[in-house]
Short mmCIF file of all heavy atoms in Angstrom, two decimals:
data_model
loop_
_atom_site.label_atom_id
_atom_site.label_comp_id
_atom_site.label_asym_id
_atom_site.label_seq_id
_atom_site.Cartn_x
_atom_site.Cartn_y
_atom_site.Cartn_z
N HIS A 42 -4.92 -76.14 20.00
CA HIS A 42 -3.68 -76.61 20.38
C HIS A 42 -3.61 -77.96 20.90
O HIS A 42 -2.66 -78.47 21.60
CB HIS A 42 -3.00 -75.68 21.48
CG HIS A 42 -2.90 -74.22 21.12
ND1 HIS A 42 -2.41 -73.35 22.00
CD2 HIS A 42 -3.26 -73.58 19.98
CE1 HIS A 42 -2.52 -72.08 21.39
NE2 HIS A 42 -3.06 -72.39 20.17
N GLN A 43 -4.51 -78.81 20.48
CA GLN A 43 -4.73 -80.24 21.04
C GLN A 43 -3.41 -81.03 21.03
O GLN A 43 -3.07 -81.58 22.01
CB GLN A 43 -5.77 -80.86 20.15
CG GLN A 43 -6.07 -82.28 20.63
CD GLN A 43 -7.27 -82.90 19.99
OE1 GLN A 43 -8.20 -82.12 19.76
NE2 GLN A 43 -7.32 -84.13 19.64
N ILE A 44 -2.72 -81.18 19.89
CA ILE A 44 -1.47 -82.01 19.81
C ILE A 44 -0.61 -81.46 20.74
O ILE A 44 0.17 -82.13 21.44
CB ILE A 44 -1.02 -82.13 18.27
CG1 ILE A 44 -2.01 -82.89 17.52
CG2 ILE A 44 0.32 -82.83 18.36
CD1 ILE A 44 -1.68 -82.89 16.08
N ARG A 45 -0.31 -80.17 20.69
CA ARG A 45 0.73 -79.56 21.48
C ARG A 45 0.36 -79.73 23.03
O ARG A 45 1.38 -80.08 23.71
CB ARG A 45 0.76 -78.13 21.20
CG ARG A 45 1.25 -77.81 19.73
CD ARG A 45 0.95 -76.41 19.21
NE ARG A 45 1.63 -75.45 20.00
CZ ARG A 45 1.37 -74.17 20.16
NH1 ARG A 45 0.37 -73.69 19.48
NH2 ARG A 45 2.04 -73.36 20.88
N VAL A 46 -0.78 -79.54 23.37
CA VAL A 46 -1.16 -79.73 24.84
C VAL A 46 -1.02 -81.25 25.27
O VAL A 46 -0.40 -81.42 26.25
CB VAL A 46 -2.58 -79.18 25.03
CG1 VAL A 46 -3.06 -79.61 26.40
CG2 VAL A 46 -2.75 -77.78 24.89
N HIS A 47 -1.52 -82.10 24.39
CA HIS A 47 -1.35 -83.54 24.91
C HIS A 47 0.03 -83.99 24.98
O HIS A 47 0.39 -84.61 25.97
CB HIS A 47 -2.16 -84.45 23.82
CG HIS A 47 -3.55 -84.37 24.04
ND1 HIS A 47 -4.48 -85.12 23.22
CD2 HIS A 47 -4.42 -83.87 25.01
CE1 HIS A 47 -5.74 -84.96 23.56
NE2 HIS A 47 -5.75 -84.33 24.74
N PHE A 48 0.89 -83.64 24.01
CA PHE A 48 2.22 -84.11 24.13
C PHE A 48 3.05 -83.48 25.17
O PHE A 48 3.82 -84.13 25.85
CB PHE A 48 2.88 -84.11 22.82
CG PHE A 48 2.50 -85.29 21.89
CD1 PHE A 48 1.44 -85.09 21.00
CD2 PHE A 48 3.12 -86.49 22.03
CE1 PHE A 48 0.96 -86.20 20.15
CE2 PHE A 48 2.67 -87.52 21.32
CZ PHE A 48 1.59 -87.57 20.38
N ALA A 49 2.78 -82.14 25.41
CA ALA A 49 3.42 -81.48 26.51
C ALA A 49 3.04 -82.02 27.84
O ALA A 49 3.87 -82.26 28.78
CB ALA A 49 3.18 -79.92 26.47
N SER A 50 1.74 -82.45 27.96
CA SER A 50 1.22 -83.00 29.30
C SER A 50 1.91 -84.35 29.59
O SER A 50 1.89 -84.79 30.80
CB SER A 50 -0.21 -83.01 29.22
OG SER A 50 -0.65 -84.19 28.41
N ILE A 51 2.43 -85.05 28.72
CA ILE A 51 3.08 -86.34 28.94
C ILE A 51 4.61 -86.22 28.96
O ILE A 51 5.34 -87.20 28.94
CB ILE A 51 2.58 -87.47 28.10
CG1 ILE A 51 2.87 -87.22 26.50
CG2 ILE A 51 1.06 -87.85 28.34
CD1 ILE A 51 2.65 -88.36 25.68
N GLY A 52 5.11 -84.95 28.86
CA GLY A 52 6.50 -84.65 28.84
C GLY A 52 7.20 -84.90 27.72
O GLY A 52 8.46 -85.01 27.63
N HIS A 53 6.46 -84.76 26.52
CA HIS A 53 7.16 -84.89 25.22
C HIS A 53 6.61 -83.80 24.34
O HIS A 53 5.97 -84.02 23.44
CB HIS A 53 6.79 -86.28 24.73
CG HIS A 53 7.44 -87.35 25.32
ND1 HIS A 53 8.66 -87.65 25.46
CD2 HIS A 53 6.73 -88.37 26.26
CE1 HIS A 53 8.89 -88.72 26.17
NE2 HIS A 53 7.71 -89.08 26.71
N PRO A 54 7.07 -82.56 24.57
CA PRO A 54 6.49 -81.36 23.79
C PRO A 54 7.00 -81.36 22.32
O PRO A 54 7.95 -81.99 22.06
CB PRO A 54 7.01 -80.15 24.54
CG PRO A 54 8.30 -80.71 25.25
CD PRO A 54 7.97 -82.17 25.72
N VAL A 55 6.22 -80.86 21.51
CA VAL A 55 6.61 -80.69 20.12
C VAL A 55 7.92 -79.75 20.10
O VAL A 55 7.95 -78.69 20.76
CB VAL A 55 5.46 -80.01 19.27
CG1 VAL A 55 5.97 -79.65 17.89
CG2 VAL A 55 4.24 -80.82 19.34
N LEU A 56 8.83 -80.39 19.28
CA LEU A 56 10.13 -79.59 19.13
C LEU A 56 9.78 -78.18 18.60
O LEU A 56 9.07 -78.08 17.61
CB LEU A 56 11.10 -80.27 18.25
CG LEU A 56 11.72 -81.62 18.93
CD1 LEU A 56 12.50 -82.33 17.99
CD2 LEU A 56 12.53 -81.14 20.11
N GLY A 57 10.46 -77.19 19.14
CA GLY A 57 10.29 -75.79 18.69
C GLY A 57 9.13 -75.16 19.28
O GLY A 57 8.86 -73.90 18.98
N ASP A 58 8.26 -75.80 20.08
CA ASP A 58 7.07 -75.11 20.59
C ASP A 58 7.43 -74.28 21.83
O ASP A 58 7.73 -74.82 22.85
CB ASP A 58 6.03 -76.23 21.01
CG ASP A 58 4.68 -75.57 21.48
OD1 ASP A 58 4.66 -74.39 21.60
OD2 ASP A 58 3.77 -76.40 21.64
N ARG A 59 7.39 -72.97 21.67
CA ARG A 59 7.80 -72.04 22.79
C ARG A 59 6.72 -71.95 23.83
O ARG A 59 6.95 -71.36 24.93
CB ARG A 59 8.31 -70.84 22.28
CG ARG A 59 9.65 -70.97 21.39
CD ARG A 59 9.91 -69.61 20.71
NE ARG A 59 10.99 -69.78 19.77
CZ ARG A 59 12.28 -69.81 20.02
NH1 ARG A 59 12.73 -69.51 21.27
NH2 ARG A 59 13.15 -69.92 19.00
N THR A 60 5.44 -72.29 23.50
CA THR A 60 4.34 -71.98 24.41
C THR A 60 4.21 -73.16 25.44
O THR A 60 4.11 -73.00 26.52
CB THR A 60 3.09 -71.87 23.59
OG1 THR A 60 3.23 -70.62 22.83
CG2 THR A 60 1.88 -71.56 24.52
N TYR A 61 4.25 -74.37 24.82
CA TYR A 61 3.95 -75.61 25.70
C TYR A 61 5.21 -76.43 26.12
O TYR A 61 5.03 -77.42 26.74
CB TYR A 61 2.92 -76.51 25.05
CG TYR A 61 1.55 -75.88 24.93
CD1 TYR A 61 1.17 -75.30 23.66
CD2 TYR A 61 0.71 -75.77 26.02
CE1 TYR A 61 -0.15 -74.65 23.65
CE2 TYR A 61 -0.48 -75.03 25.96
CZ TYR A 61 -0.88 -74.57 24.79
OH TYR A 61 -2.17 -73.98 24.66
N GLY A 62 6.32 -76.02 25.52
CA GLY A 62 7.56 -76.74 25.83
C GLY A 62 8.72 -75.74 25.63
O GLY A 62 8.51 -74.61 25.12
N SER A 63 9.92 -76.17 25.88
CA SER A 63 10.92 -75.16 25.63
C SER A 63 12.01 -75.77 24.90
O SER A 63 13.22 -75.28 24.79
CB SER A 63 11.54 -74.69 27.07
OG SER A 63 11.98 -75.87 27.74
N LYS A 64 11.74 -76.95 24.16
CA LYS A 64 12.73 -77.58 23.39
C LYS A 64 12.96 -76.95 22.05
O LYS A 64 12.29 -77.23 21.18
CB LYS A 64 12.49 -79.08 23.26
CG LYS A 64 12.83 -79.82 24.47
CD LYS A 64 13.31 -81.21 24.05
CE LYS A 64 14.01 -81.88 25.26
NZ LYS A 64 14.67 -83.08 24.95
N THR A 65 13.85 -76.02 21.97
CA THR A 65 14.15 -75.35 20.61
C THR A 65 15.50 -75.88 20.21
O THR A 65 15.96 -75.52 19.09
CB THR A 65 14.16 -73.80 20.74
OG1 THR A 65 14.99 -73.39 21.75
CG2 THR A 65 12.64 -73.43 21.13
N VAL A 66 16.28 -76.60 21.07
CA VAL A 66 17.62 -77.06 20.65
C VAL A 66 17.67 -78.41 21.40
O VAL A 66 17.35 -78.68 22.41
CB VAL A 66 18.74 -76.20 21.16
CG1 VAL A 66 20.12 -76.85 20.96
CG2 VAL A 66 18.63 -74.72 20.63
N VAL A 67 18.23 -79.37 20.58
CA VAL A 67 18.53 -80.66 21.13
C VAL A 67 20.03 -81.04 20.81
O VAL A 67 20.49 -80.58 19.83
CB VAL A 67 17.62 -81.93 20.59
CG1 VAL A 67 16.22 -81.69 21.02
CG2 VAL A 67 17.76 -82.02 19.16
N GLU A 68 20.71 -81.68 21.80
CA GLU A 68 22.04 -82.08 21.56
C GLU A 68 22.02 -83.54 21.03
O GLU A 68 21.47 -84.44 21.70
CB GLU A 68 22.86 -82.04 22.88
CG GLU A 68 23.02 -80.65 23.29
CD GLU A 68 24.07 -80.50 24.43
OE1 GLU A 68 24.98 -81.29 24.47
OE2 GLU A 68 23.87 -79.54 25.19
N ALA A 69 22.55 -83.78 19.89
CA ALA A 69 22.65 -85.07 19.17
C ALA A 69 23.94 -85.35 18.89
O ALA A 69 24.53 -84.77 17.89
CB ALA A 69 21.70 -84.95 17.87
N GLY A 70 24.52 -86.23 19.68
CA GLY A 70 25.97 -86.65 19.56
C GLY A 70 26.67 -85.36 19.91
O GLY A 70 26.59 -84.73 20.96
N ARG A 71 27.67 -84.90 19.11
CA ARG A 71 28.45 -83.74 19.26
C ARG A 71 27.68 -82.38 18.65
O ARG A 71 28.31 -81.36 18.62
CB ARG A 71 29.79 -83.88 18.68
CG ARG A 71 30.59 -84.95 19.46
CD ARG A 71 32.01 -85.01 18.85
NE ARG A 71 32.37 -86.46 18.96
CZ ARG A 71 33.16 -86.99 18.07
NH1 ARG A 71 33.61 -86.36 17.08
NH2 ARG A 71 33.48 -88.24 18.28
N ARG A 72 26.50 -82.60 18.17
CA ARG A 72 25.91 -81.51 17.39
C ARG A 72 24.74 -80.96 18.25
O ARG A 72 24.18 -81.71 18.98
CB ARG A 72 25.37 -82.01 16.10
CG ARG A 72 26.38 -82.57 15.20
CD ARG A 72 25.66 -83.19 13.80
NE ARG A 72 24.95 -82.19 13.23
CZ ARG A 72 24.20 -82.40 12.14
NH1 ARG A 72 24.18 -83.59 11.75
NH2 ARG A 72 23.52 -81.45 11.61
N LYS A 73 24.47 -79.74 17.95
CA LYS A 73 23.29 -79.09 18.42
C LYS A 73 22.38 -78.79 17.27
O LYS A 73 22.90 -78.20 16.28
CB LYS A 73 23.55 -77.75 19.23
CG LYS A 73 24.27 -78.02 20.53
CD LYS A 73 24.36 -76.78 21.44
CE LYS A 73 24.94 -77.08 22.66
NZ LYS A 73 25.09 -75.91 23.54
N ILE A 74 21.22 -79.22 17.29
CA ILE A 74 20.14 -79.02 16.34
C ILE A 74 19.09 -78.08 16.89
O ILE A 74 18.47 -78.34 17.86
CB ILE A 74 19.49 -80.34 15.83
CG1 ILE A 74 20.61 -81.35 15.38
CG2 ILE A 74 18.52 -80.11 14.70
CD1 ILE A 74 20.13 -82.77 15.14
N THR A 75 18.90 -76.98 16.07
CA THR A 75 18.05 -75.99 16.46
C THR A 75 16.66 -76.11 15.83
O THR A 75 16.65 -76.45 14.62
CB THR A 75 18.58 -74.54 16.33
OG1 THR A 75 18.81 -74.35 14.95
CG2 THR A 75 19.86 -74.30 17.16
N PHE A 76 15.70 -75.75 16.43
CA PHE A 76 14.29 -75.84 15.84
C PHE A 76 13.66 -74.39 16.06
O PHE A 76 13.12 -74.11 17.09
CB PHE A 76 13.46 -76.92 16.59
CG PHE A 76 14.01 -78.41 16.38
CD1 PHE A 76 15.01 -78.69 17.41
CD2 PHE A 76 13.75 -79.07 15.32
CE1 PHE A 76 15.50 -80.06 17.18
CE2 PHE A 76 14.26 -80.38 15.14
CZ PHE A 76 15.22 -80.80 16.11
N PRO A 77 13.67 -73.60 14.90
CA PRO A 77 13.22 -72.27 14.98
C PRO A 77 11.79 -72.10 15.06
O PRO A 77 11.25 -70.94 15.25
CB PRO A 77 13.88 -71.57 13.76
CG PRO A 77 14.05 -72.73 12.92
CD PRO A 77 14.41 -73.92 13.74
N ARG A 78 11.09 -73.13 14.78
CA ARG A 78 9.60 -73.07 14.72
C ARG A 78 8.98 -74.45 15.15
O ARG A 78 9.83 -75.38 15.30
CB ARG A 78 8.98 -72.84 13.33
CG ARG A 78 9.20 -73.89 12.35
CD ARG A 78 8.45 -73.58 11.05
NE ARG A 78 8.60 -74.70 10.11
CZ ARG A 78 7.59 -75.76 10.09
NH1 ARG A 78 6.69 -75.84 10.84
NH2 ARG A 78 7.74 -76.59 9.05
N GLN A 79 7.78 -74.51 15.41
CA GLN A 79 7.12 -75.76 15.89
C GLN A 79 7.31 -76.91 14.74
O GLN A 79 7.03 -76.58 13.66
CB GLN A 79 5.69 -75.72 16.15
CG GLN A 79 5.32 -74.66 17.19
CD GLN A 79 3.79 -74.42 17.16
OE1 GLN A 79 3.05 -75.23 16.62
NE2 GLN A 79 3.40 -73.35 17.75
N MET A 80 7.84 -78.01 15.08
CA MET A 80 7.98 -79.16 14.21
C MET A 80 6.62 -79.88 14.11
O MET A 80 6.46 -81.03 14.56
CB MET A 80 9.02 -80.07 14.54
CG MET A 80 10.46 -79.31 14.51
SD MET A 80 10.94 -78.97 12.84
CE MET A 80 10.66 -77.17 12.68
N LEU A 81 5.61 -79.21 13.60
CA LEU A 81 4.24 -79.76 13.54
C LEU A 81 3.74 -79.45 12.05
O LEU A 81 3.81 -78.41 11.60
CB LEU A 81 3.44 -79.00 14.55
CG LEU A 81 2.06 -79.58 14.80
CD1 LEU A 81 2.01 -80.97 15.38
CD2 LEU A 81 1.40 -78.73 15.91
N HIS A 82 3.20 -80.51 11.43
CA HIS A 82 2.71 -80.35 10.05
C HIS A 82 1.47 -81.10 9.82
O HIS A 82 1.41 -82.24 10.23
CB HIS A 82 3.82 -80.84 9.04
CG HIS A 82 3.29 -80.90 7.60
ND1 HIS A 82 3.06 -79.81 6.91
CD2 HIS A 82 3.09 -82.04 6.78
CE1 HIS A 82 2.58 -80.28 5.68
NE2 HIS A 82 2.69 -81.56 5.65
N ALA A 83 0.43 -80.54 9.25
CA ALA A 83 -0.77 -81.23 8.86
C ALA A 83 -0.64 -81.76 7.43
O ALA A 83 -0.74 -80.96 6.52
CB ALA A 83 -1.91 -80.29 9.01
N GLU A 84 -0.45 -83.01 7.40
CA GLU A 84 -0.25 -83.69 6.11
C GLU A 84 -1.63 -83.73 5.39
O GLU A 84 -1.70 -83.67 4.17
CB GLU A 84 0.29 -85.10 6.26
CG GLU A 84 0.47 -85.84 4.96
CD GLU A 84 0.94 -87.26 5.12
OE1 GLU A 84 0.48 -88.01 6.01
OE2 GLU A 84 2.00 -87.56 4.51
N LEU A 85 -2.69 -83.93 6.07
CA LEU A 85 -4.00 -84.18 5.63
C LEU A 85 -4.95 -83.39 6.43
O LEU A 85 -5.05 -83.62 7.72
CB LEU A 85 -4.39 -85.62 5.52
CG LEU A 85 -5.78 -85.92 5.08
CD1 LEU A 85 -5.94 -85.56 3.57
CD2 LEU A 85 -6.03 -87.45 5.17
#
């Protein structure tokens, strides 16, 4: 969980991470954007 732990520890959890953060919804302008899963992807 390295990335998740590091970013949560500095107050910027991975969006959608229910274990190390609680940001599953963000308010953007007049919209609410939901994140049903962790927004984390291994490109390589």
Side-chain angles (χ1 to χ4, degrees):
H42 303 178
Q43 181 172 322
I44 292 171
R45 296 165 61 200
V46 169
H47 278 176
F48 282 95
S50 75
I51 61 171
H53 300 286
V55 172
L56 288 172
D58 185 350
R59 295 174 191 272
T60 301
Y61 295 102
S63 59
K64 281 217 167 185
T65 58
V66 176
V67 296
E68 292 194 30
R71 294 184 214 146
R72 302 175 58 182
K73 287 188 178 184
I74 302 172
T75 61
F76 298 90
R78 69 169 185 89
Q79 297 170 23
M80 293 292 106
L81 192 58
H82 169 66
E84 179 182 53
L85 177 66

